Amino acid sequence: MFSKAAKVLKFLSEYSQDLWLTLRHNGYSPLVERRRRQFYKLIIETHTIEKGLSLPRRRALFGRDKVRFVMSTLESYDPSFSPLPAQMALGALDAYLRFHREQDIEDPLLDEVEAVLERWRDHQVEFRGGIKPFKLDAVNPTSPIAWLQSRSSLRMFDGVPVSPDTVREVVAAAQSAPSQCNRQSTHIHLYQDRETIDSLLALQGGSRGFSEHVGNLFVVTSEIAAWGGAGQRNQTYVDGALFSMCVLLSCHSIGLGACPLNLAVTNAVERKIKEAGGIPTGERLIMMIAFGNMISEPLRVAASPRRALDEILHWHRCTAS
Ligand SMILES: Cc1cc2nc3c(=O)[nH]c(=O)nc-3n(C[C@H](O)[C@H](O)[C@H](O)COP(=O)(O)O)c2cc1C
């Protein structure tokens, strides 16, 4: 009895410390350095422009508020912290402008974008990002690294349900994912009917602009019962994310497009998703994955350029030369 109470207290203590750590260091916290917060905010908002440009159908002058936000944040951003957000913002604004100019669309917003780009041309900041073509035959099968780097989140699906054999092939390959103590707590729920996909994607919210073309949807979950003590409180997400990555690579390996869809939702929304998808309450939602055959080329994807390696690779007392 005493040890059970101690376990519960340990959970409370650990979750309280998680709460403090998150409050102290999250992107809204005033205790976090302003330029660090701006770094992430600018990347996130710029990515929505890139993503908008990568969608199957693009509305004229979409994302006006985002474009204005990116332009104003760019003005106060210090590229010496990391050039990537500025490079991405300039690349995305440039692609946005070109997309509209190619269709002879005129608007004062586009003139503002042009003026911002002109000003930054003198700053020696490279324009990166926007959109890039996705070529099925560009994958070099003789180089595993080139193959790995050729995966992109794809949002241009033909909307047709893939065969049960193909689904089984994808998931069986993804089962090669490692899991803690080989406990394999990850489950994967498949949806191919329009009504359920629509209600699940409406609750998810991150597939606007391509949801109607999603004909195959996975929801990846992890069984909470596989985990015990307070130290393991986040392991559902670790194992679930590793499995999800393998699903993405497995789709890529057989030429299916796939796009991870975040389930960064409240508990109330998580419950609604479980209800809509017939998912047991004892499973934690990890992410959704839209997948399927792509429409015929030309295909485009958000460029999503990566940070300089030395920004994320930290060597700690390493001796190898
Ligand atoms: C956990 C997770 C959630 C994501 N959620 C969404 C989403 O809701 N909508 C979307 O269009 N893309 C989503 N993405 C895709 C990212 O935008 C994409 O992975 C990122 O820009 C890197 O690009 P790449 O996957 O093409 O390399 C998500 C990716 C991850 C890993």
Side-chain angles (χ1 to χ4, degrees), residues 173-179 182 184 239 242-244 246:
Q175 282 187 295
S176 62
S179 65
N182 198 29
Q184 304 177 64
D239 279 11
L242 285 169
F243 191 94
S244 302
C246 286

Side-chain angles (χ1 to χ4, degrees), residues 48-311:
T48 62
I49 303 174
E50 283 191 338
K51 204 172 102 170
L53 288 166
S54 79
L55 294 180
R57 265 183 292 111
R58 302 174 280 187
R59 274 184 302 109
L61 298 166
F62 71 87
R64 252 175 201 283
D65 294 345
K66 296 277 177 203
V67 171
R68 286 230 150 77
F69 178 86
V70 166
M71 287 193 294
S72 72
T73 311
L74 183 60
E75 291 308 310
S76 60
Y77 181 72
D78 172 10
S80 71
F81 180 71
S82 161
L84 181 66
Q87 294 170 335
M88 259 185 87
L90 293 167
L93 291 172
D94 189 45
Y96 187 84
L97 185 65
R98 270 188 288 119
F99 163 66
H100 288 92
R101 293 294 192 229
E102 275 159 23
Q103 300 174 78
D104 296 322
I105 297 170
E106 295 290 336
D107 190 90
L109 175 73
L110 301 173
D111 301 333
E112 282 175 54
V113 172
E114 197 156 21
V116 167
L117 292 172
E118 267 323 300
R119 266 203 310 284
W120 277 82
R121 275 187 217 283
D122 308 329
H123 284 47
Q124 312 283 320
V125 177
E126 191 191 344
F127 288 23
R128 292 173 73 200
I131 43 175
K132 62 184 181 187
F134 183 83
K135 294 222 178 302
L136 286 172
D137 62 1
V139 181
N140 175 3
T142 59
S143 159
I145 297 222
W147 174 79
L148 194 62
Q149 292 177 327
S150 68
R151 184 210 55 82
S152 277
S153 291
L154 221 126
R155 301 175 179 88
M156 299 174 110
F157 301 108
D158 71 0
V160 179
V162 301
S163 72
D165 282 349
T166 305
V167 172
R168 296 181 76 83
E169 189 183 357
V170 165
V171 178
Q175 282 187 295
S176 62
S179 65
Q180 196 177 330
C181 301
N182 198 29
R183 65 189 78 194
Q184 304 177 64
S185 65
T186 306
H187 288 252
I188 184 154
H189 301 264
L190 171 70
Y191 305 91
Q192 293 183 315
D193 71 289
R194 192 69 267 146
E195 204 182 323
T196 315
I197 290 179
D198 284 346
S199 50
L200 289 171
L201 290 182
L203 289 162
Q204 190 269 337
S207 61
R208 268 189 293 275
F210 66 101
S211 59
E212 65 272 31
H213 305 292
V214 176
N216 303 274
L217 184 69
F218 283 134
V219 178
V220 182
T221 67
S222 195
E223 244 188 313
I224 303 168
W227 311 96
Q232 299 182 349
R233 67 200 177 283
N234 297 318
Q235 291 309 113
T236 47
Y237 297 107
V238 177
D239 279 11
L242 285 169
F243 191 94
S244 302
M245 187 69 237
C246 286
V247 173
L248 297 175
L249 291 176
S250 167
C251 285
H252 184 47
S253 71
I254 60 165
L256 293 177
C259 182
L261 297 169
N262 79 82
L263 284 174
V265 294
T266 58
N267 279 291
V269 174
E270 176 155 345
R271 285 192 289 272
K272 284 187 190 158
I273 291 174
K274 285 178 181 168
E275 201 180 319
I279 297 170
T281 50
E283 294 178 24
R284 196 87 236 201
L285 304 185
I286 309 300
M287 70 178 75
M288 292 184 183
I289 298 176
F291 70 104
N293 285 300
M294 303 164 226
I295 56 169
S296 37
E297 294 187 74
L299 294 161
R300 58 178 176 268
V301 291
S304 300
R306 299 308 203 249
R307 301 176 76 162
L309 183 64
D310 290 333
E311 284 187 17

